[in-house]
Amino acid sequence: MFKIGVLVSGGGTNLQAIIDSINTGVIKNAKIETVVSNKEEAFALVRAKNNNIDTKVIKIKDFENKELYENALIDYLKSKELDLIVLAGFMVILSENFVNNFKNKIINIHPSLIPAFSGAGYYGLKVHQGVLARGCKITGATVHFVTEEADGGPIIIQKEVFVKDDDTDESLQKRVMEEAEWKILPQAINLILNKEIEIVNNVVRRIC
Ligand code: GRF
């Protein structure tokens, strides 16, 4: 059984997409071993509990500094012997040390076509605000491996979403989730689980 840990901070619709994909057999032979949040009010935790998935809250403010917080997170995640860690709306930038503890085992979903509107400062609605302010006609979402560079790791899958003239930040955010994020996150997990991809020179390639 392929063991997945999901790190969340918010609503958890991407977590829900993974849960649904496992329940409907789109993702086979996999289990969400734990859902970890840095915020106890995250609705994602309710979604996990509704599906009998173990949850854990580890808050930065309970530690003297970020390094100690990360060490606690690392220890907890290692104790779960995970095959994959999914950042699904996890609003904490992780250090090089954290990433090196789980080399090529962490993926993230970002609501734009990276490298556009990605990196420091581009999170949540700010991404979609940037897209609309620039007048982009196409946006989308990206699933990528996590490295020490924010949104800079090897890209696994991208999916485009067309921008409408009357889109607002919120309407675009919603469509990017519905049309792209909830589809490509389970697809990316399947590519990894089924060993269909490899990383060559920082680029993801299909294994033929
Ligand atoms: C998503 O837009 C995701 O791309 C970004 O954070 C948001 C999380 O939403 N990283 P949810 O908590 O999965 O609903």
Side-chain angles (χ1 to χ4, degrees):
M1 188 66 79
F2 188 86
K3 295 204 269 181
I4 303 170
V6 185
L7 274 53
V8 296
S9 300
T13 62
N14 282 286
L15 166 68
Q16 191 68 53
I18 304 171
I19 293 171
D20 293 346
S21 297
I22 291 174
N23 288 345
T24 56
V26 170
I27 298 176
K28 294 188 180 67
N29 301 319
K31 178 178 185 248
I32 301 178
E33 196 69 14
T34 185
V35 171
V36 185
S37 177
N38 63 323
K39 295 192 174 157
E40 60 200 348
E41 68 276 17
F43 187 70
L45 293 171
V46 176
R47 295 180 190 271
K49 284 174 189 154
N50 286 344
N51 286 275
N52 300 316
I53 298 167
D54 278 350
T55 60
K56 177 90 175 167
V57 176
I58 308 179
K59 290 182 280 187
I60 300 183
K61 67 171 195 264
D62 288 343
F63 297 86
E64 249 172 60
N65 56 47
K66 182 143 177 255
E67 190 183 344
L68 292 175
Y69 160 74
E70 277 197 353
N71 287 343
L73 192 55
I74 291 167
D75 287 348
Y76 175 74
L77 293 170
K78 288 216 158 160
S79 77
K80 295 290 172 184
E81 301 182 330
L82 303 169
D83 296 293
L84 184 68
I85 295 168
V86 180
L87 309 185
F90 187 57
M91 303 298 282
V92 178
I93 305 254
L94 297 165
S95 72
E96 188 171 357
N97 174 52
F98 184 96
V99 173
N100 286 341
N101 269 277
F102 305 98
K103 210 154 180 53
N104 296 336
K105 280 191 170 179
I106 314 173
I107 63 172
N108 179 49
I109 175 106
H110 182 78
S112 77
L113 295 175
I114 289 175
F117 307 102
S118 65
Y122 281 118
Y123 58 88
L125 277 178
K126 289 183 190 292
V127 175
H128 309 291
Q129 281 160 3
V131 168
L132 291 177
R134 186 63 186 84
C136 294
K137 307 304 175 209
I138 301 176
T139 183
T142 303
V143 182
H144 63 91
F145 283 105
V146 173
T147 61
E148 65 282 358
E149 188 192 338
D151 299 326
I155 291 169
I156 303 169
I157 306 189
Q158 297 187 296
K159 188 171 190 314
E160 82 286 356
V161 173
F162 291 97
V163 179
K164 294 180 180 170
D165 286 346
D166 61 351
D167 260 327
T168 62
D169 306 340
E170 289 79 10
S171 70
L172 190 56
Q173 178 183 53
K174 183 167 178 281
R175 279 213 330 290
V176 168
M177 284 181 151
E178 289 169 354
E179 293 178 19
E181 295 187 41
W182 303 340
K183 293 184 177 159
I184 62 173
L185 186 55
Q187 287 170 2
I189 292 171
N190 265 335
L191 287 174
I192 295 165
L193 186 159
N194 296 323
K195 298 190 174 19
E196 290 178 65
I197 53 172
E198 59 182 348
I199 302 171
V200 181
N201 297 331
N202 216 35
V203 169
V204 171
R205 302 263 183 235
R206 289 297 281 255
I207 299 171
C208 300

